[in-house]
Amino acid sequence: TEMKLPGQEESDISSASENVPTGELDSGPGSGLSPDGPLDTDSRELEVPKDPPLFIQLNELLGWPHAPEWKETGRWVLFEEKLEVGAGRWSTPHVPTMALPSLQKLRSLLAKGLVLLDCPALSLQELTEQVTRVESLSPELRGKLKALLLQRPQHLIQTPCTSPCWGSAHPREASQEEEAPLKEQHQNPLRQKFAAGAEAGAVLAGQLGFLEQPLGVFVRLRDPVVLGPLIEVPLPSRFFCLLLGPPTLGRGYHEMGRAVAILLSDLQFQWRVRRASSLHDLLAALDAFLEEVTVLPPGRWDPTARIPPPKCLPSEHKRLPSQLRVAKGPSVRRRTPAEDRHGRRQHAANPELRRTGRLFGGLVQDVRRKASWYPSDFLDALHPQCFSAVLYIYLATITNAITFGGLLGEATDGAQGVLESFLGTAVTGAAFCLIAGQPLTILSSTGPVLVFERLLFSFSRDHSLDYLPFRLWVGIWVAIFCLVLVATEASVLVRYFTRFTEEGFCALISLIFIYDAVGKMLTLTHAYPIQRPGSPTYGCLCQYPDPGGNESQWTSTNPKDRDDILSMDLGLVNASLLPPPECAQRGGHPRGPGCHTVPDIAFFSILLFLTSFLFAMALKHVKTSRFFPSVVRKMLGDFSSVLAILLGCGLDAFLGLATPKLMVPREFKPTLPGRGWLVSPFGANPWWLSVAAALPALLLSILIFMDQQITGVILNRAEYRLRKGAGFHLDLFCVAVLMPFTSALGLPWYVSATVISLAHMDSLRRESRACAPGEAPSFLGIREQRLTGLAVFILTGISIFLAPILKFIPMPLLYGIFLYMGVTAISSIQFTKRVQLLLIPAKHQPDLLFLRHVPLSRVHLFTAIQLACLGLLWIIKSTPAAIIFPIMLLGLVGVRKALEWVFSPQELLWLDELMPEKERSIPEKGVEPEYSFSGSDSEDSELMYQPKAPEINISVN
């Protein structure tokens, strides 16, 4: 039922828009907040005029009748801040609340008061002249009121370098000099919260003894004007409201002033009032606001409680004026829930995923599309944030190169190693960043490709084949198959990669990161067991300079343990089998200069491992906490991993620990002794093997296509708001061209690394700097450019020659960062949240939207199927059956297709998303009308409350 106040006219509330010219609906003044709120995607789609953001200030008249003075007691942008007089500070921003009687009194006062729309006043003095021209005031009272209005108000301005400053308040004659903003106003840090073009609104309220009747004035200035010291921030004022009256019991005028400020802070009311042409329009705007007010029953809540701002504001789409919708007509298309929650209805509309019907047609389109952005791909990198991203991704890349290089050397018995990993990462990564369609992608060795390399080497060894020549022909065939996929535009099949497939793949890669990081530390503790003194294996590790000036090491553990140490790529190089003379037995235990007991190594390695992981996680959460100023929080968040590694390195150096250090190749030559850089095409293998290599190459092609394109789909999701588009065909073409090059040099095969690529993108997130107090910074997109990736891979290549510096980085620190990346990756996907629901009782479960619309048993069934698929992939990866691993990855799409026989389209909309064919069939099955946004009051309108943020998000900042 509609809420009607006394004197409210029985007219359609939409009359607030009846005087708006048609052309004004299609174009608006300036930039800033629109009626659609922070979600500018909808405003662009609806072409809603954008209005400048508005700062509202409440000045209250205090001290009557002895020493009346104006004092600022409240301020609003989106949320309210109250002056806490006793504490001398502003309260935390909170959602404003008000009593309905204050709105009733306000409406009555405005209906009988003075309303000036498009007032031509150009200064505070002229404005005072206008508002005091009320018939009920005598000339004497007008003079008193004018002098009172020209008094300088008191503002609580807290500058960073000074204590809270109160402006003076004293009557004075107005002049141009006195109306100039004060120095404190220009130093107010609140100015930084407003975007260019922001405006202000002043509300003056209070009790005045010489008035016999209440006085209400509402003014909208034709041109915004800076009203001197009236507003604490020197912004041009657009609105002015005066509410004065004889003394009464209670705080009636204060609450009416708050009511006006709350109304002006509402985007829809503000939109209507900016376009109002009469008192009738103003009152209709107030009535429209009342129809959307939510009433809290008395006695059920504490009126003094302050409601904290929500994490995300709801979309204003449903609150648009009805006549604006009518004016737009067919241009306001209805969207399905999948679009509003995920923005994923791009399959059918995205030109990158349409077949051209020509050979290499998609590749040609990608090249044309990216060529126009190529200069900006370098200019957009000129930002300090890119420097932070380079440092972070560089450390993650070399960690990945060292880890996978060591694993590859172990899997191939030294046929490839860390040097090949460094060189291949640098060369292929730099080339990819220069010519790829999505340069934010980081190429790297991945777990699935490493599994295939291990299987290929085992097959070659078991059949007495020369591994590297056989591998060369496999790489050549893979390049041919991938080029065929590019020519036939097979990349359009990524439309069938729904979140089910993406989450399964992302979870698998994240688990590989976690497993490798923890596995390395367990291997270290196995080599250096923590035992009590006197144990037979209790010994020491000594570091001493050899005659050549290099640092050598010796361990007194048994030969088997020592051999294990030398085979782990933990940085223990040049180990001597004989102890140095400096190593002496003291008190029954090995002690000497540079000597450390074996338990020390294991203990401090674990300590550094946990330090880097926990410190990076802590700094990640600092960015969204309430500690420190926002600039400091952002700096700590951007450099979280770098600071974690610096802390660990400093701790390691300060304590002089003998922890395993980063091992960087010191000589530029292949790991396998006796071979050159170029691999012979045949070697000792028969000629027909070059043809037979097509069979394993076919499986590897499937694996690379899935690995590359799933990562591409995740990186190019609409939630990231990428402006320069994707390049699925061009990216696959680059990988195909690089495949024969790496195979001919005996370098590892490279493909898009999901976790590191997502970390790269997240480290380049752009967020709004000018946001209202209490409002979280809004996500603006990704800083798309090629320079950060290029710099990372150039530094990776240079790292081969930076061994004297990099050798001081403890490997446990890098393993901790490895673990951090895996944990943040897997913890940010919806799949993890649904797994947690399996362990949470129903009454304690979080209020997730899909739980409101899908039965809990169906949610658990969907999660169980995903867990079963993930477990099957892990088992296959870890067994000799891993040869069919690429086919099993492709099978995820088939499993998702089969789920359409188990779950209804409505359930899949909430738990996953629909495949292209199902999207087209939605209107026929009646799912869209049930969830449409046609202005009904259905509960399903809560879909609009979902922030358009990535579902799979590596929060490294």
Side-chain angles (χ1 to χ4, degrees), residues 107-123:
R107 192 182 190 282
S108 300
L109 188 58
L110 292 179
K112 301 175 183 178
L114 176 64
V115 175
L116 300 177
L117 302 178
D118 295 330
C119 177
L122 298 178
S123 65

Side-chain angles (χ1 to χ4, degrees), residues 15-199:
S15 60
S17 305
E18 63 187 4
N19 297 298
V20 182
T22 305
E24 196 172 352
L25 292 173
D26 298 319
S27 61
S31 60
L33 295 173
S34 68
D36 200 36
L39 300 179
D40 59 347
T41 303
D42 294 338
S43 63
R44 287 195 303 268
E45 183 176 298
L46 297 172
E47 300 179 8
V48 174
K50 290 185 176 182
D51 294 324
L54 192 65
F55 170 72
I56 304 100
Q57 174 178 313
L58 172 62
N59 292 346
E60 191 171 356
L61 184 62
L62 304 175
W64 180 267
H66 305 289
E69 61 179 3
W70 295 104
K71 193 170 187 178
E72 180 185 6
T73 58
R75 62 188 187 186
W76 290 256
V77 180
L78 289 177
F79 305 104
E80 180 180 11
E81 293 179 87
K82 292 181 178 179
L83 177 65
E84 296 174 337
V85 181
R89 66 174 190 176
W90 288 105
S91 69
T92 56
H94 54 276
V95 178
T97 58
M98 57 181 169
L100 282 179
S102 61
L103 282 173
Q104 296 173 351
K105 296 177 182 178
L106 174 64
R107 192 182 190 282
S108 300
L109 188 58
L110 292 179
K112 301 175 183 178
L114 176 64
V115 175
L116 300 177
L117 302 178
D118 295 330
C119 177
L122 298 178
S123 65
L124 178 60
Q125 189 171 5
E126 293 183 17
L127 179 62
T128 305
E129 292 284 351
Q130 295 282 344
V131 300
T132 54
R133 293 178 181 176
V134 181
E135 295 181 358
S136 59
L137 294 178
S138 64
E140 181 182 358
L141 294 182
R142 288 180 187 175
K144 291 183 179 180
L145 181 58
K146 181 180 176 181
L148 187 64
L149 293 177
L150 290 176
Q151 282 190 13
R152 192 184 299 274
Q154 290 192 33
H155 307 298
L156 177 62
I157 300 177
Q158 295 175 305
T159 58
C161 303
T162 62
S163 58
C165 173
W166 287 98
S168 62
H170 56 274
R172 52 152 176 79
E173 293 295 329
S175 65
Q176 292 295 333
E177 292 75 10
E178 290 177 323
E179 288 193 6
L182 300 174
K183 179 181 178 181
E184 292 81 5
Q185 292 176 270
H186 289 287
Q187 295 177 347
N188 194 336
L190 191 62
R191 295 185 62 188
Q192 303 174 3
K193 298 291 185 179
F194 302 107
E199 298 176 351

Side-chain angles (χ1 to χ4, degrees), residues 833-834 836-846 848 850-864 903 907 911:
K833 299 176 183 177
R834 285 187 277 106
Q836 294 172 353
L837 292 178
L838 296 172
L839 307 176
I840 302 177
K843 64 179 180 179
H844 297 301
Q845 290 176 352
L848 302 174
F850 61 82
L851 291 179
R852 301 183 185 182
H853 301 272
V854 182
L856 185 60
S857 59
R858 305 292 287 174
V859 175
H860 288 341
L861 176 61
F862 189 86
T863 306
F903 297 91
E907 292 172 336
L911 297 175

